[in-house]
Amino acid sequence: PRSPRADAQSMAKQQREISVSEFFTKNRHLLGFDSPTKALLTTIKEAVDNSLDACEEAELLPELWVEVHPVAENRFRVVVEDNGPGIVRAQVPRIFGKLLYGSKFHRLRQSRGQQGIGISAAGMYGQLTTGKPIVIESRIGPEKPAHRFELVIDTLKNEPVIKKDTEVDWNMPHGTRVEIELEGVYKGGRHGPEAYLRQTALANPHVKLTYRGPKGEETMWERASQALPEPALEIKPHPYGVEVGMLLRMTKDTKCRQLRAFFKEEFSRVGPKAATAIVEGAGLGTATSPKRVTTEAAERLVKSIRETKIPAPPTNCLSPIGADRLEASLREQISSDFVTAVTRTPSVYRGNPFQIEVGLAYGGDQPAEELSSLFRFANRVPLQYQQGGCAITKSVLQTNWRAYGLQQSRGALPAGPLTLLVHIASVWVPFTSESKEAVASYDEIIKELKLALQVAGRQLGRFIRRGKREMDAERKRAYIEKYIPHIGIALQEILGLSEREEKRIVTTLTGTLERSRKM
Amino acid sequence: PRSPRADAQSMAKQQREISVSEFFTKNRHLLGFDSPTKALLTTIKEAVDNSLDACEEAELLPELWVEVHPVAENRFRVVVEDNGPGIVRAQVPRIFGKLLYGSKFHRLRQSRGQQGIGISAAGMYGQLTTGKPIVIESRIGPEKPAHRFELVIDTLKNEPVIKKDTEVDWNMPHGTRVEIELEGVYKGGRHGPEAYLRQTALANPHVKLTYRGPKGEETMWERASQALPEPALEIKPHPYGVEVGMLLRMTKDTKCRQLRAFFKEEFSRVGPKAATAIVEGAGLGTATSPKRVTTEAAERLVKSIRETKIPAPPTNCLSPIGADRLEASLREQISSDFVTAVTRTPSVYRGNPFQIEVGLAYGGDQPAEELSSLFRFANRVPLQYQQGGCAITKSVLQTNWRAYGLQQSRGALPAGPLTLLVHIASVWVPFTSESKEAVASYDEIIKELKLALQVAGRQLGRFIRRGKREMDAERKRAYIEKYIPHIGIALQEILGLSEREEKRIVTTLTGTLERSRKM
């Protein structure tokens, strides 16, 4: 059936709104659900990220139970339970049954989740592939009952539909338990759930994890540290990241009545002097009402901001892993002869503070003839897919590893017995898609990544060169030890020396050459 | 200021809805606006894609004018004008001032746009960075007036706000003109607007393009073909791509009153027999009302679908470039000694038909010592960014080019004087992000890509081997020509032959060796 020739009128009839859930149903690969293997991992990951964020925000040492139950061929029930603060009853349906809903999007604060999509998308994928609702149990304190919800998403409206809502008995004083049944394929290896959990334990030594796989096998990662990481603080936007449109909107939203106060209150690092300089630099009065800022005035203000000296954003909003802990983790997990780690000082992209850490482990039992292994982390979450599309990979490829004594083909990872671990911590990690598998290539981020890689690379280079020097020295010493005696014998024969004289000559020659070799 | 310790109650106060426009403002890199250079290109691209889609849908031979005007330092006004069908007045504000609105999302039909995000996102980026509205002029026919709108987006609500709405004089009988002022950086080269337009002309020979760059320089690409490509037809979903949740929703939405009719009407390629087989295979009656299908029945139906033999989806919904045209384009644009192209028969992922084409140009003036060039296209649109994260790149890297006579390092593109062009056409191209820069790695797509690359690769291999054989033969012939005369002279001296005898021996020897060489 041939489509009739369209015109503006017939085309207008086709134009309509697309709901967020429809959009992501069709574009499920954007959320990490493009294959049954990945879908299973993504489901676990979204639930675990949420649990860890909630525990840390409530300052509770996280303990998580992750279970993958086989239900039928290519069908699993994923259960993730935590000892977190729980979720108040009224919020459960929207948090788990509505895309783009949550607490983390509107704050500038380092957290694993940030978009308000992940867990409801996992529930939606389960619903799509099995028709089963997502099941949530949550309890916010020992004096309160535990609630159990069964939810589905109305994908046309992007709204939760409550199928069941009951009080249940639960032995936990507080916490949350999520259960999702989905079509999936279980695979081990680098991209599997167990590898994800192991890497999570690596970057989060304060977490206790218990995992029960589909064959009933149990693995437990005990806490390596009894202390929560320093809590990452929430910050206000930095003026250097603001643009005309955003500034205009902030002037309309603010409760401040004067421009000077507006800049002091709504931005980080703007003191009274800087606020005055910004406003006056734009030719405006400090008492001007923010509501009366026009597009043209906003343009002048943005220009004036860029000309005003303002300190870099505060960095206590970031919670890096730390070079010491990185080194310790690498030593523990990877066979090596040399380990080093770097934590860079924080930097800024689009007004957002971020911080890069690089660790590397060289030698040991690692295969000498293969490409290096690269482990990527963002806000302590392991990134297991889309390595090729990630700013971290790009930076590794663009670093000249030959300068540090490694083999490297153009456009490829360095080859050799090397594991690289790279971590980006930020109040807002710019991922290349909603599935949060790869970091976007902002220039500022690439620059910091390369600098961190170079620092670690130079240390590796020194180690490898020292090894080479020692090998060279060893070889020379071997020559001396091998040939001098023969020279002695030859001299003895030619000159008719006694055996004692010959020994003396050999010792003297050896000593002389050894000394010259060391110079 | 230390954040207070959170609990479920305090966390609940932070939880709220995130509007689609807020989401994409903060995640602008998902839409291709992560750097000023890319922002400029993306803006042009979104407008051009829309213009081409509209012209083709209305069966008008497209003619486009693209202009980039410098306004101030790092600020440009992009203008894209087309001779398309125009847009009815009532639809203009939503099409250009609301994300997730359009005509292409709900249809299964090959088109450049598919998500209803791009052009409004470009307008939103302009508004954010300059405060300026997007300006649209459109006219749907010579008897109608042209309308001019100035729009901004209310990002909190994701709704258009009309700033101006007037009738204007316009010399075009029908068409649309979009104007966006934005912060950007103009760069030429591989990732620049001109390269994008050149590649667009390469894959769309029926398009006439005029480009005026920021320095006033004009380039024109004339039509290489006066015929529109065969229009791609809209299709219904194929049953093999349906899942439990989607089937349940379709049974609720359908107007059919019996299950058998439902399968016949709502899906492609389901005839009366297959419809009966599906329904009865699930243990249901053919006259069952679709509205009464339960989750359990839907699961049985999906299982029954997978056990029923149903022909592959129709492929007249696809509009490939064609191997001949690909070869011709490559020959025209790239210096080479050998050109080949392959158009695979269509295949299916998740029920969506798609088709892979590969062209390659080898030799000529292309640099022999560098990595090959890879040009990627999706639905005739050049993909210029995120090469590393694309299924096309992945497939090229995983192809063993050594088998075809090229150098290739592990994890890298093949090296040599080679340009690869890969095109995927589909009713729904699965991109890795909303910016549509890279194709997601669905297994079925990777498989087809590799097969197409192998077919082209083998042809290249034959050419290279033939070249090698000829070079070997040439070298042997040179040896013969060089040494035989000396042998003749030596024999003459040793045996005291006459000059005539010597010549005869040389001729005989040469002939004998030539014949043996050819065997």
Side-chain angles (χ1 to χ4, degrees), chain B residues 43-338:
Chain B
T43 301
I44 295 170
K45 196 168 162 165
E46 295 295 351
V48 168
D49 287 358
N50 281 358
S51 288
L52 293 179
D53 275 347
C55 290
E56 289 174 15
E57 201 173 337
E59 294 177 32
L60 299 163
L61 265 178
E63 178 164 7
L64 269 62
W65 297 263
V66 179
E67 296 170 17
V68 178
H69 299 276
V71 177
E73 206 198 332
N74 295 342
R75 192 181 274 210
F76 296 90
R77 202 169 66 248
V78 168
V79 183
V80 176
E81 187 174 328
D82 66 50
N83 65 342
I87 298 163
V88 300
R89 193 177 160 202
Q91 290 293 342
V92 171
R94 275 172 292 186
I95 287 179
F96 293 92
K98 184 178 175 64
L99 302 183
L100 288 180
Y101 188 88
S103 61
K104 300 166 197 166
F105 182 85
H106 293 97
R107 296 190 288 171
L108 281 177
R109 184 176 188 275
Q110 179 179 332
S111 57
R112 294 169 182 80
Q114 51 189 33
Q115 313 181 118
I117 294 184
I119 193 65
S120 15
M124 189 170 80
Y125 178 80
Q127 171 186 337
L128 270 173
T129 53
T130 71
K132 296 281 195 295
I134 178 171
V135 182
I136 303 104
E137 283 178 31
S138 194
R139 190 176 189 181
I140 64 171
E143 72 290 354
K144 305 270 183 148
H147 285 282
R148 181 188 161 96
F149 279 94
E150 296 189 13
L151 300 174
V152 293
I153 299 190
D154 177 338
T155 51
L156 271 188
K157 295 189 193 140
N158 187 33
E159 287 293 342
V161 179
I162 300 169
K163 291 285 184 186
K164 275 190 194 163
D165 170 2
T166 48
E167 284 189 13
V168 289
D169 284 334
W170 203 19
N171 57 351
M172 301 277 290
H174 52 80
T176 301
R177 183 181 190 278
V178 183
E179 199 178 314
I180 295 174
E181 189 168 325
L182 73 155
E183 240 183 59
V185 167
Y186 188 86
K187 271 193 195 147
R190 261 198 88 168
H191 295 307
E194 214 181 319
Y196 161 72
L197 292 171
R198 177 173 303 115
Q199 288 183 45
T200 300
L202 176 78
N204 299 274
H206 60 292
V207 173
K208 181 174 173 187
L209 280 171
T210 309
Y211 172 65
R212 191 186 151 87
K215 286 177 184 154
E217 70 280 19
E218 283 214 355
T219 318
M220 192 188 289
W221 290 273
E222 285 288 356
R223 286 192 186 92
S225 155
Q226 296 299 320
L228 278 161
E230 270 304 297
L233 303 184
E234 187 177 343
I235 59 162
K236 297 200 158 148
H238 192 272
Y240 285 167
V242 85
E243 292 157 332
V244 177
M246 184 177 163
L247 183 66
L248 273 172
R249 201 178 120 196
M250 289 176 77
T251 56
K252 304 309 172 234
D253 292 350
T254 185
K255 282 175 190 146
C256 298
R257 290 154 147 227
Q258 303 196 337
L259 260 187
R260 187 159 164 274
F262 164 75
F263 279 102
K264 265 177 58 195
E265 297 302 318
E266 304 284 3
F267 291 92
S268 79
R269 297 297 202 181
V270 179
K273 265 193 193 167
T276 307
I278 292 168
V279 178
E280 292 182 345
L284 298 170
T286 50
T288 311
S289 163
K291 311 274 181 230
R292 299 183 55 196
V293 168
T294 60
T295 304
E296 286 64 35
E299 285 183 43
R300 291 201 306 274
L301 283 166
V302 167
K303 205 156 166 264
S304 175
I305 285 171
R306 291 177 191 177
E307 285 159 1
T308 306
K309 211 176 146 136
I310 304 160
T315 54
N316 51 6
C317 54
L318 298 177
S319 170
I321 302 172
D324 290 352
R325 201 177 291 291
L326 263 180
E327 278 195 28
S329 287
L330 283 169
R331 258 187 248 285
E332 201 182 294
Q333 300 240 357
I334 290 154
S335 154
S336 62
D337 303 318
F338 176 75

Side-chain angles (χ1 to χ4, degrees), chain B residues 407-426:
Chain B
Q407 305 267 310
Q408 185 183 24
S409 307
R410 262 167 314 172
L413 288 173
L418 178 68
T419 297
L420 279 165
L421 189 159
V422 184
H423 180 224
I424 172 171
S426 179

